[in-house]
């Protein structure tokens, strides 16, 4: 056997053993349904291969079939009665698996949104084009509630289907819809659909126990179609088998990779999120990711920063100090806030471009389609367009950090020139390594931005506040804001420009190939208590 083949065998055995160990503590069951041979709708061809990819990935990550034993099977072309029977059996087996069970339901086929109130329904192969009260038993809301009532700790529902809108629900459906969604029947027609992933938010009727949670992943956005030849399921199957990420990480990476795809048929995944505590993992978890969150599929990862006091500015004796830097003094940050764990990535920016909300800019990922390369060549005005877009996508008001917030988040309590001390070296940040600061070590010039997670995080768990790309703030140089302030330095900067207090000014319309952004939003009352 060749050495490469032996390594693959060892890896496969390791994954199998990991899956067996996990199954003992966290029973995993999965139901995979793929419908293609529709009677009243267009037939689908690729959906069968999609189901096989997902079933293979689930088997590799420790799941057993919804029947309670054996590898995950693909159930094809189910009628309404057969779908209801399969779901009922799945719920029964989840209940028998106990309160730590992790259940996954994957559906690929035709689907549609029901009117303006935001829910969607899964279509069996014998579905007619007329909406009836029976249809409500196969909606996203009904499925989520039904499976959580099994007592399973975590329920993941993946719906690879269209969400184009049918007519408003007939009167016979109104009371059923009201019961499912937990709102007054008179308000059913006014309900809005989910805006995306919300930390600490879920429908009040969804969970039975405080530790239960769910994540519903849609392969496309509200009011949009899902293509039979889309790449969503292929990418999802790959990410399920990627180690060191929980299910929220995996779905975020799926969305980012889909945004970077070059296919003509673009879909933008969206999520309905109600996970509690640390989400489960497919393979293994990165424990450092447990306290971060995101508000929509292509929104940046965020971390809550508590209120506090920070050193702001530089002492007169600090080498490299600029004349526009205030003399160091303590500044109070009165309110906690959330800030991006990373600089905005090319994948996140590309999703905004795909929605025609952001300009298409030059970037460093053309030869390297890594979704974690930072978005660059961004002006202050471009940044505002992105902030407006994710504010709409998430339903939250995003903005740039103030200079005080940026320096507070950057320092993490340090009063030194850099968050890690008064010296700097090539292993600590991405800058012009040929230059020296106070006799620091040098290295060959790299000359390009690296992945946003490429260097260790600071005390607040934020990556690459120093170097990589300059980051826009809301700071101005004068009352009319004819110039704006960027912070942090870049891969082209001399090391002294990476000092926490350093400021650099640019006109708001100016683009630089080494300028990007990091986003901020204010925390709501139920979130602020978790910032500590």
């Amino acid at each position: 056997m060749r050495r490469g083949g032996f390594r693959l065998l060892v890896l496969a055995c390791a994954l199998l053993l990991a899956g067996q160990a996990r199954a003992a503590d966290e029973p995993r069951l999965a139901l995979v349904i793929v419908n293609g041979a529709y009677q009243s709708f267009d037939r689908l061809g690729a959906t069968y291969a999609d189901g096989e990819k997902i079933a293979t990935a689930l088997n590799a990550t420790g799941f057993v079939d919804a029947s309670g034993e054996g590898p995950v099977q693909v159930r094809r072309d189910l009628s309404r009665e057969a779908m209801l029977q399969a779901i009922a059996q799945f719920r029964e087996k989840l209940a028998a698996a106990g309160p730590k069970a992790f259940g996954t339901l994957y559906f690929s086929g035709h689907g549609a949104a029901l009117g303006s109130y935001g829910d969607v329904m899964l279509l069996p192969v014998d579905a007619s084009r007329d909406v009836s009260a029976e249809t409500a038993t196969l909606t996203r809301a009904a499925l989520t509630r039904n499976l959580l009532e099994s007592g399973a700790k975590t329920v993941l529902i993946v719906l690879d289907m269209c969400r184009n809108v049918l007519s408003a629900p007939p009167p016979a459906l109104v009371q059923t819809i009201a019961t499912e969604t937990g709102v007054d029947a008179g308000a059913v027609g006014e309900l809005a659909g989910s805006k995306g992933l919300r930390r600490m938010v879920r429908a009040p009727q969804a969970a039975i126990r405080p530790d239960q949670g769910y994540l519903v992943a849609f392969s496309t956005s509200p009011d949009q179609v899902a293509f039979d030849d889309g790449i969503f399921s292929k990418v999802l199957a790959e990410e399920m088998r990627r180690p060191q990420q929980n299910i929220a990480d995996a779905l975020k990476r799926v969305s980012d990779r889909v945004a970077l795809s070059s296919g003509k048929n673009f879909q933008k995944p969206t999520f309905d999120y109600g996970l509690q505590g640390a989400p489960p993992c497919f393979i293994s978890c990165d424990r450092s990711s447990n306290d971060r969150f995101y508000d929509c599929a292509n929104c940046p990862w965020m971390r809550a920063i508590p209120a506090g006091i920070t050193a702001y500015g530089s002492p007169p004796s600090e080498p490299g100090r600029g004349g526009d830097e205030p003399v160091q003094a303590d500044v109070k940050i009165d309110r906690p806030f959330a800030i991006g764990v990373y600089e905005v990535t090319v994948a996140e920016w590309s999703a905004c471009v795909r929605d025609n909300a952001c300009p298409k800019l030059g970037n460093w990922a053309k030869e390297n389609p890594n979704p974690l390369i930072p978005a660059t060549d961004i002006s202050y005005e471009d940044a505002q367009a992105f902030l407006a877009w994710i504010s709409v996508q998430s339903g939250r008001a995003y903005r740039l950090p103030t200079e005080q917030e940026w320096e507070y988040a950057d320092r993490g309590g340090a009063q030194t020139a850099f968050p890690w001390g008064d010296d700097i070296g090539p292993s600590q940040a991405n800058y012009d390594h040929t230059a020296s600061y106070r006799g620091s070590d040098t290295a060959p010039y790299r000359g390009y931005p690296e992945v946003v997670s490429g260097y260790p995080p600071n005390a607040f768990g934020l990556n690459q506040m120093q170097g990589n790309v300059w980051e826009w703030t809301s700071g101005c140089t004068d009352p009319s804001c004819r110039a704006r302030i960027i912070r942090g330095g870049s891969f082209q900067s001399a090391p002294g420009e990476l000092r926490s207090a350093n400021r650099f000014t640019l006109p708001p319309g100016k683009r630089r190939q080494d300028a990007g952004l990091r986003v901020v939003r204010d925390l709501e009352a139920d979130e602020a208590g978790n910032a500590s």
Side-chain angles (χ1 to χ4, degrees), residues 93-305:
K93 296 301 181 181
L94 280 175
K100 294 184 178 180
F102 175 12
T104 295
L105 167 63
Y106 173 84
F107 173 79
S108 179
H110 279 304
L114 286 170
S116 63
Y117 65 92
D119 205 358
V120 293
M121 61 182 180
L122 290 63
L123 297 183
V125 292
D126 60 350
S128 71
R129 291 182 177 271
D130 297 324
V131 178
S132 66
E134 292 179 342
T135 306
T137 57
L138 289 173
T139 63
R140 189 278 313 162
L143 286 172
T144 305
R145 185 185 62 184
N146 187 10
L147 295 179
L148 282 170
E149 285 176 348
S150 71
K153 183 175 182 179
T154 307
V155 170
L156 171 63
I157 299 176
V158 181
L159 302 179
D160 190 359
M161 66 186 201
C162 295
R163 300 177 68 186
N164 47 315
V165 178
L166 298 182
S167 59
L173 269 178
V174 169
Q175 188 55 54
T176 302
I177 295 166
T179 301
E180 289 180 355
T181 56
V183 302
D184 185 82
V188 164
E190 303 300 324
L191 287 177
S194 171
K195 297 271 187 188
L197 183 72
R198 299 287 186 87
R199 189 173 68 109
M200 303 295 292
V201 176
R202 63 181 169 196
Q205 85 290 351
I208 311 304
R209 301 193 315 267
D211 65 330
Q212 280 187 290
Y214 68 90
L215 197 161
V216 181
F218 302 95
S219 66
T220 193
S221 302
D223 303 334
Q224 299 298 316
V225 299
F227 298 97
D228 191 26
D229 59 350
I231 67 167
F232 173 80
S233 60
K234 174 181 179 295
V235 175
L236 175 60
E238 292 172 354
E239 291 302 326
M240 282 181 173
R241 286 174 285 197
R242 185 186 296 274
Q244 289 297 96
Q245 57 180 2
N246 61 42
I247 62 174
D249 297 329
L251 268 297
K252 173 72 164 70
R253 189 171 172 89
V254 168
S255 185
D256 287 345
R257 287 183 59 188
V258 170
L260 282 179
S261 66
S262 57
K264 63 179 181 179
N265 294 330
F266 175 63
Q267 298 173 214
K268 186 160 66 67
T270 49
F271 311 139
D272 178 13
Y273 181 85
L275 294 173
Q276 301 299 303
C281 311
F282 287 116
I283 292 289
S284 59
C285 280
D286 176 5
R287 297 189 181 280
S288 67
S289 69
N290 287 346
D291 59 348
R292 66 185 187 184
F293 64 96
Y294 55 93
D295 292 320
C296 68
N298 292 112
C299 288
W301 280 111
M302 305 294 287
R303 184 158 272 142
I305 305 297

